[in-house]
Amino acid sequence: MADKTNVCIVGSGNWGSAIAKIVGANAAALPEFEERVTMFVYEELIDGKKLTEIINETHENVKYLKGHKLPSNVVAVPDLVEAAKNADILIFVVPHQFIPNFCKQLLGKIKPNAIAISLIKGFDKAEGGGIDLISHIITRHLKIPCAVLMGANLANEVAEGNFCETTIGCTDKKYGKVLRDLFQANHFRVVVVEDADAVEVCGALKNIVACGAGFVDGLKLGDNTKAAVIRLGLMEMIRFVDVFYPGSKLSTFFESCGVADLITTCYGGRNRRVSEAFVTSGKTIEELEKEMLNGQKLQGPPTAEEVNYMLKNKKLEDKFPLFTAIHKICTNQLKPNDLIDCIRNHPEHMDTSIMPSPKL
Amino acid sequence: MDRINVCIIGSGNWATTIARNVGRNVANSQHMEPIVYMYVYEEIVDGRKLTEIINTTHINVKYMPDFVLPTNIVAVDDVVKTARDADILIFAIPPTFVNSCCKTLLGKVKPTAHAVSLIKGFERGDDGQIVLISQIIMRQLKIPCSVLVGCNLAHEIANDNFVEGTIGCRDQKYFRLLQDIFKSATFRVVVTDDADCVEICSTLRNVIAFGAGCADGMELNENTKAGIIRRGFLETLQFVDVFYPGCRMATFFEACGISDLVTSCYANRNRKLAEAFVKTGQPLSELEHILIPGHEPLGPVTAELVHIMLEKKGLADKFPLFTVIYKICVGDQPLTRLVETLRFAREDM
């Protein structure tokens, strides 16, 4: 195919707009990409004017990324199929609950050899319970391969041009280079790994751990305790991937999507912040979402719930005491104070107890 | 069967903190001698000997005035008397005293004794390389030496906050014993045989914490700081692989690795020092005295020794983060190089 690679960004929120700055600039600069990048924008009226018109005239997403210019080759399109129909690469960056519906609209309307990449952090609920990875949903619905991009990437910091790293998980090696070229920037370092499921699962599970870190902050238990929760959280993430998505490499957890994203989320993210307030204010998560997040949903608590469902099914709750305790605290089955008691006898600490008695 | 005799060499706040766990654990064990000698460097506090104060009030008024020791911890002012009957010698003294202490003890300890070092830091070898404290103890006393690391704030353990530690021990038959000696309901200990890795991890983290502090000082954001921590983690792995081959990746996921690194990069004094270094522009030597009097900040000196070791092997460019942190410390490179380094660092390690 001598044609240039067409790129479409499905989504125009905060993260979608931040990434559009990079993708747009790369598409304009690199010969292998078609310069014009379409961005599907859910049409809304801002002060009586259509958001797509504002973006196409002023090159600013005044609603979700105010104060940043998008490259002029990023074109806002209000029709999903219109935006996506010619694309060779579809970048999905919308709230995860929209995915099944979007995929239905796109089915049969996109190029059969297109590939997708999901920037969506979170899981969907699988039918009958448990978690369904967003990339799997996209692949299942659209019958195209789907890579993922996850990392320690706060949207506003990326838009500001602050340096950060990210991880692309892509099972098919042959797409690695084109995806890296599309996202890599001077301030945005991309590492591509093949362990796509692990990358995506990390992106979701870290929000559970961040709730635990927030509880520790709220209880004022100190830095070492918080570090212990982060570490035990990481160990449970690794074990979870091992049980439900076997075959991953330990080194993937050293990528930005693993350790780095986990740490940033446990110190900076909103799951941590709301969880801290959950302890100090005594309000419910829903009340705090209204007060602190304008009604937006936290990802940690629902992820903890789905994960708990999966663990229960496999009778593995006691092997994941941190995830289990966080879920129970979020749902008021346990008090935040009980967190430490739940992880005191973590399987991680028990390894040596099978050793013989201390006779020298 | 003789009971296992445990002693503690040192009486600073870390030694005192751990003495409470040790005292309680031996008292509850049928296998261990219930009295634990603790070597206390004799000082006069308000006209009384410190050992006397400790043995009558069970409070180390000098280093942990709010903390009551179990009554089976007995302060002794003579290090040989403390150690001569011990099967387990716990070292918790400043690194600069290790050599002289070992010289005094040589030939005076049981030949079958086992040492455990709780000492943070290292010695500068003759050729400028890092010499691990456990190696010094082993070489000088001719007994095996394990290490306990992973908890860098003694007062959090003293307050019964939940804390994790890692023991590095090459001899499996000591695994359970060492865990039983140190653990408590709030201090959870994992034992691994990857002992060098445990010790070097806890050393290198000071370099990374210094880098993280520089990022804080420059008011770089969370993502960038996470990038520094991650890169530091990778270089630690690589460093261990070159200089202490045979270590396992899993060890980096223990408290001595990930947890220690996180706490250091968000809470520790190297981080604080680096932040002030960037913000004030004052030399490190001056800031040390103002910010952390009485403590040697390990970040800059570790960076220097690491750099010497890397240069010797011609590997400095394979460790861009460690190298740039050293160069920033000594003023050879501007701070801006820190982020530049992340940008161009190779991934294929």
Side-chain angles (χ1 to χ4, degrees):
Chain A
M1 182 183 72
D3 285 351
K4 295 187 169 211
T5 304
N6 273 297
V7 179
C8 165
I9 302 169
V10 179
S12 58
N14 191 227
W15 188 207
S17 305
I19 211 71
K21 279 187 77 172
I22 294 175
V23 167
N26 284 340
L30 300 172
E32 65 264 38
F33 294 105
E34 167 62 40
E35 187 174 354
R36 183 174 184 271
V37 172
T38 54
M39 179 163 82
F40 165 67
V41 176
Y42 180 80
E43 194 68 284
E44 349 182 13
L45 289 182
I46 310 282
D47 297 332
K49 221 175 152 186
K50 286 181 178 168
L51 182 55
T52 49
E53 276 177 19
I54 300 176
I55 293 175
N56 289 335
E57 283 164 20
T58 67
H59 305 294
E60 184 178 339
N61 185 341
V62 289
K63 173 111 192 213
Y64 295 105
L65 192 66
K66 216 173 161 46
H68 289 279
K69 285 275 179 237
L70 299 177
S72 56
N73 56 319
V74 174
V75 179
V77 178
D79 183 284
L80 177 61
V81 173
E82 190 58 36
K85 67 181 181 194
N86 292 321
D88 301 292
I89 298 179
L90 289 151
I91 302 168
F92 284 95
V93 50
V94 292
H96 71 86
Q97 57 272 27
F98 294 131
I99 282 294
N101 180 26
F102 278 27
C103 286
K104 268 182 205 122
Q105 294 181 48
L106 290 175
L107 182 61
K109 310 280 170 54
I110 55 169
K111 288 189 177 177
N113 57 355
I115 60 170
I117 179 164
S118 162
L119 276 53
I120 302 163
K121 290 184 180 178
F123 292 139
D124 207 350
K125 226 176 173 144
E127 262 178 60
I131 58 178
D132 207 353
L133 297 184
I134 303 299
S135 65
H136 291 189
I137 300 175
I138 293 173
T139 297
R140 211 164 50 225
H141 278 86
L142 294 181
K143 332 266 185 245
I144 59 174
C146 184
V148 294
L149 180 148
M150 307 275 151
N153 313 132
L154 298 170
N156 285 321
E157 296 191 356
V158 173
E160 291 289 344
N162 290 329
F163 178 82
C164 64
E165 298 178 310
T166 199
T167 312
I168 288 179
C170 178
T171 11
D172 193 338
K173 256 191 170 152
K174 71 170 180 279
Y175 301 121
K177 185 180 181 307
V178 67
L179 290 175
R180 193 188 58 212
D181 289 348
L182 184 59
F183 288 99
Q184 177 114 284
N186 201 17
H187 63 277
F188 197 64
R189 273 285 303 247
V190 176
V191 176
V192 183
V193 301
E194 288 169 51
D195 243 355
D197 285 350
V199 171
E200 190 170 1
V201 174
C202 277
L205 294 181
K206 58 149 199 191
N207 289 322
I208 306 180
V209 185
C211 290
F215 297 149
V216 170
D217 285 343
L219 294 164
K220 305 203 171 20
L221 294 179
D223 291 309
N224 280 315
T225 308
K226 185 164 168 179
V229 165
I230 294 174
R231 184 185 86 85
L232 292 171
L234 181 63
M235 301 310 272
E236 292 192 14
M237 285 164 67
I238 295 171
R239 193 183 279 241
F240 187 88
V241 170
D242 199 43
V243 172
F244 294 96
Y245 303 90
S248 299
K249 288 202 281 268
L250 201 48
S251 60
T252 302
F253 297 91
F254 284 120
E255 295 299 340
S256 181
C257 63
V259 168
D261 199 10
L262 177 66
I263 294 173
T264 327
T265 312
C266 288
Y267 280 88
R270 62 190 198 177
N271 284 285
R272 187 212 68 81
R273 197 157 49 89
V274 174
S275 301
E276 182 181 26
F278 178 74
V279 175
T280 51
S281 71
K283 294 178 182 167
T284 64
I285 300 271
E286 295 76 43
E287 285 168 335
L288 292 166
E289 283 170 343
K290 267 189 208 118
E291 276 175 33
M292 300 175 70
L293 303 175
N294 265 327
Q296 284 186 68
K297 285 279 170 205
L298 267 195
Q299 284 157 324
T303 310
E305 187 176 348
E306 294 315 318
V307 163
N308 186 253
Y309 180 89
M310 294 171 77
L311 295 176
K312 241 187 203 154
N313 260 349
K314 290 223 175 200
K315 301 198 173 27
L316 285 173
E317 273 182 297
D318 58 332
K319 295 263 188 277
F320 294 81
L322 182 70
F323 287 175
T324 305
I326 290 168
H327 166 64
K328 290 188 172 166
I329 292 169
C330 289
T331 51
N332 290 318
Q333 301 171 58
L334 282 177
K335 296 258 173 296
N337 269 321
D338 301 328
L339 179 70
I340 300 305
D341 278 333
C342 296
I343 57 174
R344 211 182 283 289
N345 292 317
H346 199 283
E348 285 301 321
H349 301 138
M350 299 295 120
D351 287 348
T352 31
S353 53
I354 50 164
M355 294 297 161
S357 69
K359 278 183 197 155
L360 297 182
Chain B
M1 186 192 76
D2 282 348
R3 285 167 178 256
I4 296 159
N5 194 320
V6 182
C7 81
I8 299 169
I9 297 168
S11 58
N13 62 358
W14 195 191
T16 308
T17 302
I18 212 68
R20 183 171 68 177
N21 287 8
V22 174
R24 286 176 180 167
N25 288 333
V26 299
N28 290 328
S29 165
Q30 300 156 3
H31 306 286
M32 294 190 243
E33 168 61 38
I35 298 295
V36 173
Y37 284 161
M38 178 164 88
Y39 168 63
V40 177
Y41 180 80
E42 193 68 283
E43 312 177 49
I44 303 296
V45 181
D46 295 333
R48 283 179 75 192
K49 286 181 176 173
L50 183 56
T51 48
E52 267 180 36
I53 300 174
I54 294 175
N55 289 335
T56 48
T57 65
H58 307 292
I59 292 172
N60 184 344
V61 286
K62 174 103 190 201
Y63 296 103
M64 292 290 275
D66 302 321
F67 187 77
V68 181
L69 284 166
T71 52
N72 59 331
I73 298 287
V74 176
V76 175
D77 63 359
D78 176 345
V79 70
V80 174
K81 186 186 170 207
T82 307
R84 69 184 166 207
D85 295 323
D87 300 295
I88 303 289
L89 290 98
I90 300 167
F91 283 89
I93 50 179
T96 41
F97 295 150
V98 171
N99 264 311
S100 63
C101 183
C102 286
K103 283 204 180 90
T104 314
L105 288 175
L106 179 61
K108 310 281 168 53
V109 297
K110 284 189 177 179
T112 53
H114 188 105
V116 185
S117 163
L118 275 56
I119 300 166
K120 293 195 186 80
F122 47 81
E123 183 134 309
R124 184 188 287 257
D126 296 334
D127 47 0
Q129 308 219 8
I130 290 175
V131 182
L132 299 177
I133 298 292
S134 65
Q135 288 168 355
I136 299 174
I137 294 174
M138 279 192 275
R139 214 165 46 213
Q140 297 233 15
L141 291 184
K142 330 268 187 241
I143 58 175
C145 183
S146 296
V147 292
L148 166 66
V149 303
C151 21
N152 34 42
L153 299 169
H155 68 263
E156 292 199 357
I157 298 181
N159 288 340
D160 275 336
N161 287 352
F162 182 81
V163 176
E164 293 184 304
T166 311
I167 290 175
C169 171
R170 286 179 191 78
D171 188 343
Q172 291 221 351
K173 75 173 188 280
Y174 284 87
F175 273 25
R176 178 71 186 273
L177 174 67
L178 295 182
Q179 193 183 37
D180 286 349
I181 288 175
F182 290 104
K183 74 179 181 189
S184 75
T186 51
F187 183 47
R188 311 307 296 175
V189 184
V190 176
V191 191
T192 160
D193 61 1
D194 213 359
D196 281 348
C197 186
V198 170
E199 197 169 357
I200 197 73
C201 264
S202 78
T203 302
L204 294 179
R205 73 183 162 89
N206 291 311
V207 181
I208 305 163
F210 194 89
C214 289
D216 287 341
M218 286 187 279
E219 297 180 352
L220 300 175
N221 57 76
E222 289 292 334
N223 291 340
T224 311
K225 186 167 166 179
I228 290 173
I229 296 174
R230 190 184 83 83
R231 164 64 44 185
F233 212 45
L234 291 177
E235 290 191 11
T236 302
L237 256 136
Q238 198 187 350
F239 186 90
V240 169
D241 206 39
V242 172
F243 293 96
Y244 302 90
C247 293
R248 287 191 307 274
M249 197 185 249
T251 307
F252 297 91
F253 289 101
E254 295 297 341
C256 61
I258 177 80
S259 323
D260 232 8
L261 182 60
V262 170
T263 349
S264 308
C265 290
Y266 286 87
N268 126 323
R269 51 176 95 104
N270 286 294
R271 192 210 63 78
K272 191 169 126 192
L273 178 74
E275 187 176 18
F277 173 63
V278 171
K279 286 201 157 152
T280 64
Q282 282 175 267
L284 284 171
S285 50
E286 284 174 25
L287 289 168
E288 281 170 30
H289 296 300
I290 305 167
L291 285 173
I292 43 175
H295 291 285
E296 189 194 12
L298 291 171
V301 54
T302 313
E304 184 197 341
L305 266 58
V306 163
H307 186 70
I308 293 172
M309 292 170 79
L310 292 174
E311 283 279 286
K312 271 208 176 116
K313 292 222 176 206
L315 288 173
D317 59 334
K318 293 249 195 296
F319 292 80
L321 183 72
F322 287 172
T323 303
V324 77
I325 290 173
Y326 164 69
K327 293 198 166 166
I328 287 172
C329 285
V330 295
D332 274 2
Q333 298 238 321
L335 280 162
T336 48
R337 286 290 302 166
L338 189 61
V339 177
E340 288 300 305
T341 298
L342 293 182
R343 198 163 279 166
F344 298 112
R346 285 153 50 103
E347 278 301 328
D348 51 338
M349 306 202 302

